[in-house]
Each structure stands twice: as C-alpha cells, then as structure tokens.
Amino acid sequence: MRSLPDDSSVFRFDQHAFVARDCELRRDGEPVPLARKPAQLLLLLLRNRGRVVSREEILATLWPDTRVSEAALYSVVRDLRRALTDEGREPRLVATARGVKARMARACSRC
C-alpha cells in the first residue's frame, strides 16, 4: 500500500509544476484547483514516469482497503485531465489504456 509521501519534490512538465508535499498544481505559475484523489493519481504517475501504472496499483494507492467502482476511478482520471487541460481522446499528458492503466505521456523533471 502506498500513500502520499512527505516529499518536497517539485515535478515540472509542460507548463505545469506539481509540489508533492503540498499536492499543489500550478500552470504558468498560477495555482490550479486539484482535489485530493486526482492529486494522488498525479503524484503516482509522476513518481512512476516512464512506465505504465496498473489499475490495481492505482486502486491500492488511492483507495487502500476500500472497494470502489470503475466509475470512481474514471472520475478521478477525468478530473485530473480537466485540471491539466488534457483531452481524453488526444491526451498530451495522461495516457490511459484499456483496463485503466495510466502513465505520464510527456517528459517531466524532478527538482
């Protein structure tokens, strides 16, 4: 089981920056509202950039010891894409695959 780490890392990608410790997303320096679950998903994808994160790993990280519906998972992915102004049909940042596997589609740097 994973949880949000106490981490001072800042991830930079596209025109965004994500401060792990604060779960704060910024676009062009301006704060972007992001709920806790989408922030957890973003951090999971950023920490595992370069590899596909399985549905099971996403569920274990976001909802440890809790059963949730597929709709809840899809909702979190949708909310994250909205915050990133990413499109599901032509994703620039969050790519998904059948069975709800996800990965960061763009390179990012960790500061």
Side-chain angles (χ1 to χ4, degrees), residues 7-73:
D7 186 343
S8 62
S9 296
V10 176
F11 295 91
R12 298 184 190 285
F13 55 98
D14 204 32
Q15 73 262 32
H16 298 87
F18 183 73
V19 180
R21 178 176 300 176
D22 303 326
C23 291
E24 180 181 272
L25 179 64
R26 292 185 167 268
R27 182 182 318 110
D28 296 325
E30 296 297 318
V32 176
L34 188 62
R36 183 167 187 220
K37 294 297 183 192
Q40 286 178 312
L41 177 58
L42 178 57
L43 183 56
L44 178 65
L45 296 175
L46 289 169
R47 291 186 141 264
N48 292 281
R49 60 197 177 276
R51 78 172 184 89
V52 174
V53 180
S54 71
R55 173 187 174 278
E56 292 75 22
E57 188 175 352
I58 295 169
L59 292 172
T61 301
L62 274 60
W63 293 279
D65 306 318
T66 305
R67 294 180 66 102
V68 296
S69 69
E70 292 288 318
L73 180 53

